[in-house]
Amino acid sequence: MTELWTVELDSSVCVGSGLCAGSAPECFALDTSGRARQPKAPVEAADEVLEAAENCPAAAITLRKTTGGEEVFAP
């Protein structure tokens, strides 16, 4: 069974750099204001998603395991 992560995106601190969408376009997209949109559903655990969270210049992305809520990455 594939591990799933819940993505928490703090849009109040997002600066719209687009690094997340560039690193993990299957997970992140930018809205019309140029800020990242939070995925509506859990995403498959993937190195690209972790890389996007780690490289977010605004530290706006937290990843949690959907089972148990354990943090995978927090800014």
Short mmCIF file of all heavy atoms in Angstrom, two decimals:
data_model
loop_
_atom_site.label_atom_id
_atom_site.label_comp_id
_atom_site.label_asym_id
_atom_site.label_seq_id
_atom_site.Cartn_x
_atom_site.Cartn_y
_atom_site.Cartn_z
N MET A 1 0.84 -1.18 0.00
CA MET A 1 0.00 0.00 0.00
C MET A 1 0.89 1.25 0.00
O MET A 1 1.86 1.33 0.73
CB MET A 1 -0.91 -0.02 1.22
CG MET A 1 -1.89 1.10 1.24
SD MET A 1 -3.06 0.79 2.59
CE MET A 1 -3.87 2.33 2.60
N THR A 2 0.53 2.21 -0.79
CA THR A 2 1.30 3.44 -0.91
C THR A 2 1.00 4.37 0.26
O THR A 2 -0.15 4.55 0.64
CB THR A 2 0.92 4.16 -2.23
OG1 THR A 2 1.16 3.27 -3.31
CG2 THR A 2 1.74 5.41 -2.41
N GLU A 3 2.06 4.95 0.81
CA GLU A 3 1.88 5.91 1.88
C GLU A 3 1.32 7.22 1.32
O GLU A 3 1.71 7.66 0.23
CB GLU A 3 3.21 6.18 2.58
CG GLU A 3 3.08 7.12 3.75
CD GLU A 3 4.39 7.31 4.50
OE1 GLU A 3 5.46 6.98 3.96
OE2 GLU A 3 4.32 7.78 5.63
N LEU A 4 0.40 7.83 2.06
CA LEU A 4 -0.17 9.10 1.65
C LEU A 4 0.20 10.19 2.65
O LEU A 4 0.30 9.93 3.84
CB LEU A 4 -1.70 9.00 1.55
CG LEU A 4 -2.25 8.04 0.51
CD1 LEU A 4 -3.76 7.96 0.61
CD2 LEU A 4 -1.82 8.45 -0.89
N TRP A 5 0.38 11.39 2.12
CA TRP A 5 0.67 12.55 2.96
C TRP A 5 -0.42 13.60 2.78
O TRP A 5 -0.95 13.80 1.70
CB TRP A 5 1.99 13.20 2.56
CG TRP A 5 3.22 12.41 2.86
CD1 TRP A 5 3.35 11.38 3.74
CD2 TRP A 5 4.51 12.59 2.26
NE1 TRP A 5 4.64 10.91 3.73
CE2 TRP A 5 5.37 11.64 2.83
CE3 TRP A 5 5.01 13.46 1.31
CZ2 TRP A 5 6.72 11.54 2.48
CZ3 TRP A 5 6.34 13.37 0.96
CH2 TRP A 5 7.19 12.42 1.54
N THR A 6 -0.72 14.27 3.89
CA THR A 6 -1.57 15.45 3.86
C THR A 6 -0.65 16.65 3.75
O THR A 6 0.32 16.77 4.50
CB THR A 6 -2.42 15.54 5.14
OG1 THR A 6 -3.24 14.38 5.21
CG2 THR A 6 -3.30 16.78 5.13
N VAL A 7 -0.94 17.53 2.82
CA VAL A 7 -0.15 18.73 2.62
C VAL A 7 -0.88 19.90 3.27
O VAL A 7 -2.05 20.15 2.97
CB VAL A 7 0.06 19.02 1.12
CG1 VAL A 7 0.83 20.32 0.92
CG2 VAL A 7 0.76 17.86 0.45
N GLU A 8 -0.20 20.59 4.18
CA GLU A 8 -0.75 21.79 4.79
C GLU A 8 0.04 22.97 4.25
O GLU A 8 1.25 23.04 4.42
CB GLU A 8 -0.63 21.72 6.31
CG GLU A 8 -1.40 20.57 6.92
CD GLU A 8 -1.11 20.37 8.39
OE1 GLU A 8 -0.35 21.15 8.99
OE2 GLU A 8 -1.64 19.39 8.95
N LEU A 9 -0.65 23.88 3.62
CA LEU A 9 -0.01 25.03 3.00
C LEU A 9 -0.51 26.30 3.68
O LEU A 9 -1.70 26.57 3.69
CB LEU A 9 -0.35 25.08 1.51
CG LEU A 9 0.25 26.22 0.73
CD1 LEU A 9 1.76 26.05 0.61
CD2 LEU A 9 -0.37 26.31 -0.64
N ASP A 10 0.41 27.05 4.25
CA ASP A 10 0.06 28.31 4.90
C ASP A 10 0.10 29.41 3.85
O ASP A 10 1.14 30.00 3.57
CB ASP A 10 1.03 28.61 6.05
CG ASP A 10 0.64 29.83 6.85
OD1 ASP A 10 -0.24 30.60 6.41
OD2 ASP A 10 1.21 30.03 7.94
N SER A 11 -1.06 29.67 3.26
CA SER A 11 -1.12 30.65 2.17
C SER A 11 -0.85 32.07 2.64
O SER A 11 -0.52 32.94 1.84
CB SER A 11 -2.47 30.57 1.46
OG SER A 11 -3.51 30.83 2.38
N SER A 12 -0.93 32.32 3.94
CA SER A 12 -0.67 33.67 4.44
C SER A 12 0.81 34.02 4.39
O SER A 12 1.17 35.19 4.43
CB SER A 12 -1.19 33.83 5.87
OG SER A 12 -0.44 33.05 6.78
N VAL A 13 1.68 33.02 4.27
CA VAL A 13 3.12 33.29 4.17
C VAL A 13 3.71 32.93 2.81
O VAL A 13 4.85 33.25 2.53
CB VAL A 13 3.93 32.59 5.29
CG1 VAL A 13 3.51 33.07 6.66
CG2 VAL A 13 3.83 31.09 5.20
N CYS A 14 2.91 32.30 1.95
CA CYS A 14 3.39 31.94 0.61
C CYS A 14 3.77 33.20 -0.15
O CYS A 14 3.03 34.18 -0.17
CB CYS A 14 2.29 31.18 -0.14
SG CYS A 14 2.71 30.78 -1.84
N VAL A 15 4.96 33.16 -0.78
CA VAL A 15 5.44 34.32 -1.55
C VAL A 15 5.30 34.10 -3.05
O VAL A 15 5.69 34.96 -3.83
CB VAL A 15 6.89 34.68 -1.18
CG1 VAL A 15 7.00 35.12 0.26
CG2 VAL A 15 7.84 33.52 -1.48
N GLY A 16 4.79 32.96 -3.45
CA GLY A 16 4.54 32.70 -4.86
C GLY A 16 5.78 32.48 -5.69
O GLY A 16 5.80 32.81 -6.87
N SER A 17 6.81 31.89 -5.11
CA SER A 17 8.05 31.66 -5.86
C SER A 17 7.87 30.62 -6.96
O SER A 17 8.57 30.63 -7.96
CB SER A 17 9.18 31.20 -4.92
OG SER A 17 8.95 29.86 -4.51
N GLY A 18 6.93 29.70 -6.77
CA GLY A 18 6.68 28.65 -7.76
C GLY A 18 7.61 27.47 -7.66
O GLY A 18 7.51 26.54 -8.47
N LEU A 19 8.52 27.46 -6.69
CA LEU A 19 9.43 26.32 -6.55
C LEU A 19 8.68 25.02 -6.29
O LEU A 19 9.06 23.97 -6.80
CB LEU A 19 10.44 26.57 -5.42
CG LEU A 19 11.52 27.61 -5.70
CD1 LEU A 19 12.35 27.87 -4.46
CD2 LEU A 19 12.40 27.16 -6.84
N CYS A 20 7.61 25.10 -5.52
CA CYS A 20 6.85 23.89 -5.22
C CYS A 20 6.22 23.32 -6.49
O CYS A 20 6.29 22.12 -6.75
CB CYS A 20 5.79 24.15 -4.15
SG CYS A 20 4.62 25.46 -4.57
N ALA A 21 5.60 24.19 -7.28
CA ALA A 21 4.97 23.74 -8.53
C ALA A 21 6.00 23.23 -9.52
O ALA A 21 5.73 22.30 -10.28
CB ALA A 21 4.15 24.87 -9.15
N GLY A 22 7.20 23.80 -9.50
CA GLY A 22 8.26 23.33 -10.37
C GLY A 22 8.82 21.99 -9.94
O GLY A 22 9.17 21.15 -10.76
N SER A 23 8.90 21.77 -8.62
CA SER A 23 9.45 20.52 -8.08
C SER A 23 8.45 19.37 -8.12
O SER A 23 8.82 18.24 -8.37
CB SER A 23 9.89 20.71 -6.63
OG SER A 23 10.94 21.62 -6.54
N ALA A 24 7.19 19.68 -7.82
CA ALA A 24 6.16 18.64 -7.73
C ALA A 24 4.86 19.12 -8.38
O ALA A 24 3.86 19.36 -7.70
CB ALA A 24 5.93 18.27 -6.26
N PRO A 25 4.85 19.26 -9.70
CA PRO A 25 3.66 19.77 -10.38
C PRO A 25 2.43 18.88 -10.23
O PRO A 25 1.31 19.35 -10.38
CB PRO A 25 4.10 19.90 -11.83
CG PRO A 25 5.25 18.96 -11.97
CD PRO A 25 5.92 18.94 -10.63
N GLU A 26 2.63 17.61 -9.92
CA GLU A 26 1.49 16.72 -9.72
C GLU A 26 0.79 17.01 -8.40
O GLU A 26 -0.33 16.58 -8.18
CB GLU A 26 1.93 15.25 -9.77
CG GLU A 26 2.78 14.79 -8.59
CD GLU A 26 4.24 15.26 -8.60
OE1 GLU A 26 4.71 15.83 -9.61
OE2 GLU A 26 4.91 15.07 -7.58
N CYS A 27 1.44 17.78 -7.54
CA CYS A 27 0.90 18.09 -6.22
C CYS A 27 0.52 19.56 -6.09
O CYS A 27 -0.51 19.89 -5.52
CB CYS A 27 1.94 17.72 -5.16
SG CYS A 27 1.47 18.07 -3.46
N PHE A 28 1.37 20.45 -6.58
CA PHE A 28 1.19 21.89 -6.39
C PHE A 28 0.89 22.60 -7.70
O PHE A 28 1.43 22.25 -8.74
CB PHE A 28 2.45 22.51 -5.78
CG PHE A 28 2.79 21.98 -4.42
CD1 PHE A 28 3.75 21.00 -4.28
CD2 PHE A 28 2.15 22.45 -3.29
CE1 PHE A 28 4.07 20.50 -3.02
CE2 PHE A 28 2.46 21.96 -2.04
CZ PHE A 28 3.42 20.98 -1.90
N ALA A 29 0.06 23.62 -7.60
CA ALA A 29 -0.23 24.51 -8.73
C ALA A 29 -0.36 25.92 -8.15
O ALA A 29 -0.60 26.09 -6.96
CB ALA A 29 -1.51 24.10 -9.42
N LEU A 30 -0.17 26.89 -9.00
CA LEU A 30 -0.31 28.28 -8.56
C LEU A 30 -1.69 28.80 -8.96
O LEU A 30 -2.20 28.47 -10.03
CB LEU A 30 0.78 29.15 -9.19
CG LEU A 30 2.22 28.72 -8.90
CD1 LEU A 30 3.20 29.69 -9.56
CD2 LEU A 30 2.49 28.62 -7.41
N ASP A 31 -2.27 29.62 -8.09
CA ASP A 31 -3.57 30.20 -8.41
C ASP A 31 -3.38 31.47 -9.24
O ASP A 31 -2.26 31.81 -9.61
CB ASP A 31 -4.39 30.46 -7.14
CG ASP A 31 -3.78 31.49 -6.19
OD1 ASP A 31 -2.89 32.27 -6.63
OD2 ASP A 31 -4.19 31.53 -5.03
N THR A 32 -4.44 32.17 -9.51
CA THR A 32 -4.37 33.35 -10.38
C THR A 32 -3.57 34.49 -9.76
O THR A 32 -3.11 35.37 -10.47
CB THR A 32 -5.78 33.85 -10.74
OG1 THR A 32 -6.51 34.11 -9.53
CG2 THR A 32 -6.52 32.82 -11.58
N SER A 33 -3.41 34.48 -8.43
CA SER A 33 -2.60 35.52 -7.78
C SER A 33 -1.12 35.12 -7.71
O SER A 33 -0.31 35.88 -7.20
CB SER A 33 -3.13 35.81 -6.37
OG SER A 33 -2.92 34.70 -5.51
N GLY A 34 -0.80 33.92 -8.22
CA GLY A 34 0.58 33.46 -8.23
C GLY A 34 1.01 32.73 -6.97
O GLY A 34 2.17 32.40 -6.81
N ARG A 35 0.08 32.46 -6.08
CA ARG A 35 0.41 31.72 -4.85
C ARG A 35 0.02 30.25 -5.00
O ARG A 35 -0.87 29.90 -5.77
CB ARG A 35 -0.33 32.34 -3.67
CG ARG A 35 0.08 33.77 -3.40
CD ARG A 35 -0.45 34.23 -2.06
NE ARG A 35 -0.36 35.65 -1.85
CZ ARG A 35 0.75 36.30 -1.59
NH1 ARG A 35 1.89 35.69 -1.54
NH2 ARG A 35 0.74 37.60 -1.39
N ALA A 36 0.70 29.42 -4.25
CA ALA A 36 0.43 27.98 -4.31
C ALA A 36 -0.95 27.65 -3.76
O ALA A 36 -1.41 28.29 -2.80
CB ALA A 36 1.51 27.22 -3.56
N ARG A 37 -1.57 26.66 -4.37
CA ARG A 37 -2.85 26.15 -3.89
C ARG A 37 -2.60 24.84 -3.15
O ARG A 37 -1.82 24.01 -3.60
CB ARG A 37 -3.79 25.86 -5.05
CG ARG A 37 -4.37 27.11 -5.66
CD ARG A 37 -5.37 26.75 -6.72
NE ARG A 37 -4.61 26.19 -7.86
CZ ARG A 37 -5.11 25.40 -8.78
NH1 ARG A 37 -6.36 25.04 -8.74
NH2 ARG A 37 -4.36 24.96 -9.76
N GLN A 38 -3.29 24.65 -2.05
CA GLN A 38 -3.19 23.42 -1.29
C GLN A 38 -3.92 22.31 -2.03
O GLN A 38 -5.04 22.52 -2.50
CB GLN A 38 -3.81 23.62 0.10
CG GLN A 38 -3.71 22.38 0.97
CD GLN A 38 -3.96 22.70 2.42
OE1 GLN A 38 -3.58 23.77 2.89
NE2 GLN A 38 -4.58 21.79 3.12
N PRO A 39 -3.31 21.12 -2.15
CA PRO A 39 -4.01 20.00 -2.78
C PRO A 39 -5.28 19.68 -2.00
O PRO A 39 -5.31 19.76 -0.78
CB PRO A 39 -3.02 18.85 -2.69
CG PRO A 39 -1.69 19.50 -2.46
CD PRO A 39 -1.96 20.77 -1.72
N LYS A 40 -6.34 19.31 -2.72
CA LYS A 40 -7.62 19.02 -2.07
C LYS A 40 -7.65 17.65 -1.41
O LYS A 40 -8.48 17.39 -0.55
CB LYS A 40 -8.74 19.13 -3.10
CG LYS A 40 -8.92 20.54 -3.59
CD LYS A 40 -10.02 20.66 -4.58
CE LYS A 40 -10.08 22.12 -5.01
NZ LYS A 40 -11.01 22.41 -6.01
N ALA A 41 -6.77 16.77 -1.82
CA ALA A 41 -6.74 15.41 -1.30
C ALA A 41 -5.32 15.05 -0.89
O ALA A 41 -4.37 15.71 -1.32
CB ALA A 41 -7.24 14.44 -2.36
N PRO A 42 -5.19 14.03 -0.06
CA PRO A 42 -3.83 13.56 0.25
C PRO A 42 -3.09 13.17 -1.02
O PRO A 42 -3.71 12.80 -2.02
CB PRO A 42 -4.08 12.34 1.15
CG PRO A 42 -5.42 12.58 1.75
CD PRO A 42 -6.20 13.28 0.66
N VAL A 43 -1.77 13.27 -0.97
CA VAL A 43 -0.93 12.95 -2.12
C VAL A 43 -0.05 11.75 -1.79
O VAL A 43 0.21 11.47 -0.62
CB VAL A 43 -0.06 14.15 -2.54
CG1 VAL A 43 -0.94 15.33 -2.93
CG2 VAL A 43 0.91 14.55 -1.45
N GLU A 44 0.39 11.06 -2.82
CA GLU A 44 1.30 9.94 -2.61
C GLU A 44 2.63 10.47 -2.11
O GLU A 44 3.13 11.49 -2.60
CB GLU A 44 1.51 9.16 -3.90
CG GLU A 44 0.32 8.33 -4.29
CD GLU A 44 0.62 7.40 -5.45
OE1 GLU A 44 1.80 7.06 -5.69
OE2 GLU A 44 -0.34 6.99 -6.11
N ALA A 45 3.18 9.80 -1.12
CA ALA A 45 4.50 10.17 -0.60
C ALA A 45 5.50 10.07 -1.74
O ALA A 45 5.54 9.06 -2.45
CB ALA A 45 4.89 9.23 0.54
N ALA A 46 6.29 11.14 -1.93
CA ALA A 46 7.25 11.15 -3.03
C ALA A 46 8.39 12.11 -2.69
O ALA A 46 8.18 13.12 -2.01
CB ALA A 46 6.58 11.58 -4.33
N ASP A 47 9.57 11.77 -3.18
CA ASP A 47 10.74 12.62 -2.96
C ASP A 47 10.51 14.04 -3.49
O ASP A 47 10.96 15.00 -2.88
CB ASP A 47 11.98 12.03 -3.64
CG ASP A 47 12.47 10.76 -2.97
OD1 ASP A 47 12.15 10.54 -1.77
OD2 ASP A 47 13.20 9.99 -3.64
N GLU A 48 9.78 14.16 -4.60
CA GLU A 48 9.54 15.48 -5.19
C GLU A 48 8.71 16.36 -4.28
O GLU A 48 8.94 17.57 -4.19
CB GLU A 48 8.84 15.33 -6.55
CG GLU A 48 9.65 14.63 -7.61
CD GLU A 48 9.59 13.09 -7.51
OE1 GLU A 48 8.73 12.56 -6.77
OE2 GLU A 48 10.42 12.44 -8.15
N VAL A 49 7.73 15.77 -3.60
CA VAL A 49 6.87 16.53 -2.69
C VAL A 49 7.68 16.96 -1.47
O VAL A 49 7.59 18.11 -1.03
CB VAL A 49 5.64 15.70 -2.28
CG1 VAL A 49 4.78 16.46 -1.29
CG2 VAL A 49 4.82 15.32 -3.52
N LEU A 50 8.50 16.07 -0.95
CA LEU A 50 9.36 16.41 0.18
C LEU A 50 10.35 17.51 -0.21
O LEU A 50 10.55 18.47 0.54
CB LEU A 50 10.11 15.17 0.68
CG LEU A 50 11.06 15.39 1.86
CD1 LEU A 50 10.32 15.95 3.07
CD2 LEU A 50 11.76 14.09 2.20
N GLU A 51 10.92 17.42 -1.40
CA GLU A 51 11.85 18.43 -1.89
C GLU A 51 11.16 19.80 -1.99
O GLU A 51 11.73 20.82 -1.62
CB GLU A 51 12.39 18.03 -3.26
CG GLU A 51 13.33 19.03 -3.87
CD GLU A 51 13.79 18.62 -5.27
OE1 GLU A 51 13.94 17.41 -5.53
OE2 GLU A 51 13.99 19.52 -6.10
N ALA A 52 9.93 19.81 -2.46
CA ALA A 52 9.19 21.07 -2.57
C ALA A 52 8.99 21.70 -1.20
O ALA A 52 9.17 22.91 -1.04
CB ALA A 52 7.84 20.81 -3.23
N ALA A 53 8.65 20.90 -0.21
CA ALA A 53 8.46 21.42 1.14
C ALA A 53 9.78 21.93 1.72
O ALA A 53 9.83 23.01 2.31
CB ALA A 53 7.86 20.35 2.03
N GLU A 54 10.83 21.16 1.54
CA GLU A 54 12.14 21.55 2.09
C GLU A 54 12.68 22.82 1.45
O GLU A 54 13.35 23.61 2.11
CB GLU A 54 13.15 20.42 1.90
CG GLU A 54 12.88 19.21 2.73
CD GLU A 54 13.80 18.04 2.42
OE1 GLU A 54 14.34 17.96 1.29
OE2 GLU A 54 13.96 17.19 3.31
N ASN A 55 12.39 23.04 0.18
CA ASN A 55 12.94 24.18 -0.55
C ASN A 55 12.04 25.40 -0.60
O ASN A 55 12.41 26.41 -1.21
CB ASN A 55 13.32 23.76 -1.97
CG ASN A 55 14.47 22.78 -1.97
OD1 ASN A 55 15.36 22.87 -1.14
ND2 ASN A 55 14.44 21.84 -2.89
N CYS A 56 10.89 25.34 0.04
CA CYS A 56 9.98 26.48 0.04
C CYS A 56 10.64 27.66 0.75
O CYS A 56 10.97 27.57 1.93
CB CYS A 56 8.67 26.12 0.74
SG CYS A 56 7.53 27.52 0.88
N PRO A 57 10.87 28.78 0.03
CA PRO A 57 11.57 29.91 0.64
C PRO A 57 10.78 30.59 1.75
O PRO A 57 11.35 31.26 2.60
CB PRO A 57 11.81 30.86 -0.53
CG PRO A 57 10.79 30.51 -1.53
CD PRO A 57 10.53 29.04 -1.36
N ALA A 58 9.46 30.38 1.78
CA ALA A 58 8.63 30.99 2.81
C ALA A 58 8.33 30.03 3.96
O ALA A 58 7.65 30.41 4.91
CB ALA A 58 7.32 31.47 2.19
N ALA A 59 8.84 28.81 3.86
CA ALA A 59 8.56 27.78 4.88
C ALA A 59 7.05 27.66 5.11
O ALA A 59 6.57 27.68 6.23
CB ALA A 59 9.30 28.08 6.17
N ALA A 60 6.31 27.53 4.02
CA ALA A 60 4.85 27.52 4.07
C ALA A 60 4.24 26.12 3.99
O ALA A 60 3.02 25.99 4.07
CB ALA A 60 4.29 28.37 2.94
N ILE A 61 5.07 25.08 3.86
CA ILE A 61 4.53 23.74 3.61
C ILE A 61 4.88 22.78 4.74
O ILE A 61 6.04 22.64 5.12
CB ILE A 61 5.10 23.18 2.28
CG1 ILE A 61 4.75 24.11 1.13
CG2 ILE A 61 4.55 21.76 2.03
CD1 ILE A 61 5.47 23.77 -0.18
N THR A 62 3.86 22.13 5.26
CA THR A 62 4.02 21.06 6.25
C THR A 62 3.45 19.79 5.65
O THR A 62 2.39 19.82 5.01
CB THR A 62 3.27 21.39 7.55
OG1 THR A 62 3.80 22.60 8.10
CG2 THR A 62 3.40 20.28 8.58
N LEU A 63 4.15 18.68 5.84
CA LEU A 63 3.69 17.38 5.36
C LEU A 63 3.43 16.47 6.55
O LEU A 63 4.24 16.42 7.49
CB LEU A 63 4.75 16.73 4.46
CG LEU A 63 5.21 17.53 3.25
CD1 LEU A 63 6.36 16.82 2.56
CD2 LEU A 63 4.06 17.76 2.29
N ARG A 64 2.30 15.77 6.52
CA ARG A 64 1.95 14.82 7.58
C ARG A 64 1.51 13.50 6.95
O ARG A 64 0.88 13.49 5.89
CB ARG A 64 0.80 15.34 8.43
CG ARG A 64 1.09 16.58 9.21
CD ARG A 64 -0.12 16.96 10.08
NE ARG A 64 0.07 18.26 10.67
CZ ARG A 64 0.76 18.48 11.77
NH1 ARG A 64 1.32 17.47 12.40
NH2 ARG A 64 0.90 19.71 12.24
N LYS A 65 1.81 12.42 7.65
CA LYS A 65 1.27 11.12 7.23
C LYS A 65 -0.23 11.15 7.48
O LYS A 65 -0.68 11.63 8.52
CB LYS A 65 1.90 9.99 8.03
CG LYS A 65 3.37 9.80 7.73
CD LYS A 65 3.94 8.64 8.53
CE LYS A 65 5.41 8.45 8.21
NZ LYS A 65 5.98 7.31 8.96
N THR A 66 -1.00 10.66 6.52
CA THR A 66 -2.45 10.67 6.70
C THR A 66 -2.87 9.70 7.80
O THR A 66 -3.86 9.93 8.48
CB THR A 66 -3.20 10.33 5.40
OG1 THR A 66 -2.76 9.08 4.91
CG2 THR A 66 -3.01 11.41 4.36
N THR A 67 -2.11 8.65 7.99
CA THR A 67 -2.40 7.70 9.04
C THR A 67 -1.64 8.13 10.29
O THR A 67 -0.41 8.09 10.31
CB THR A 67 -1.96 6.28 8.64
OG1 THR A 67 -2.57 5.95 7.40
CG2 THR A 67 -2.34 5.27 9.69
N GLY A 68 -2.34 8.60 11.28
CA GLY A 68 -1.70 8.97 12.54
C GLY A 68 -1.30 10.44 12.65
O GLY A 68 -1.04 10.94 13.73
N GLY A 69 -1.20 11.14 11.54
CA GLY A 69 -0.88 12.56 11.56
C GLY A 69 0.55 12.91 11.90
O GLY A 69 0.87 14.08 12.11
N GLU A 70 1.44 11.94 11.90
CA GLU A 70 2.86 12.19 12.21
C GLU A 70 3.48 13.14 11.17
O GLU A 70 3.26 12.99 9.98
CB GLU A 70 3.62 10.87 12.21
CG GLU A 70 5.09 10.98 12.45
CD GLU A 70 5.80 9.64 12.29
OE1 GLU A 70 5.12 8.59 12.31
OE2 GLU A 70 7.02 9.65 12.13
N GLU A 71 4.24 14.13 11.66
CA GLU A 71 4.89 15.06 10.75
C GLU A 71 6.00 14.37 9.97
O GLU A 71 6.82 13.67 10.55
CB GLU A 71 5.50 16.25 11.52
CG GLU A 71 4.48 17.24 11.97
CD GLU A 71 5.11 18.46 12.64
OE1 GLU A 71 6.34 18.49 12.85
OE2 GLU A 71 4.35 19.38 12.97
N VAL A 72 6.00 14.60 8.68
CA VAL A 72 7.06 14.14 7.80
C VAL A 72 8.06 15.27 7.63
O VAL A 72 9.26 15.08 7.67
CB VAL A 72 6.51 13.70 6.43
CG1 VAL A 72 7.62 13.33 5.48
CG2 VAL A 72 5.52 12.56 6.60
N PHE A 73 7.51 16.49 7.46
CA PHE A 73 8.33 17.68 7.35
C PHE A 73 7.53 18.87 7.87
O PHE A 73 6.37 19.02 7.55
CB PHE A 73 8.74 17.98 5.89
CG PHE A 73 9.51 19.25 5.76
CD1 PHE A 73 10.88 19.26 6.02
CD2 PHE A 73 8.89 20.44 5.43
CE1 PHE A 73 11.61 20.44 5.93
CE2 PHE A 73 9.61 21.62 5.34
CZ PHE A 73 10.97 21.62 5.59
N ALA A 74 8.20 19.67 8.69
CA ALA A 74 7.61 20.92 9.18
C ALA A 74 8.67 21.99 9.12
O ALA A 74 9.82 21.74 9.45
CB ALA A 74 7.07 20.75 10.59
N PRO A 75 8.28 23.18 8.69
CA PRO A 75 9.26 24.29 8.62
C PRO A 75 9.74 24.73 10.00
O PRO A 75 9.13 24.50 10.98
CB PRO A 75 8.48 25.39 7.91
CG PRO A 75 7.06 24.99 7.89
CD PRO A 75 6.98 23.56 8.24
#
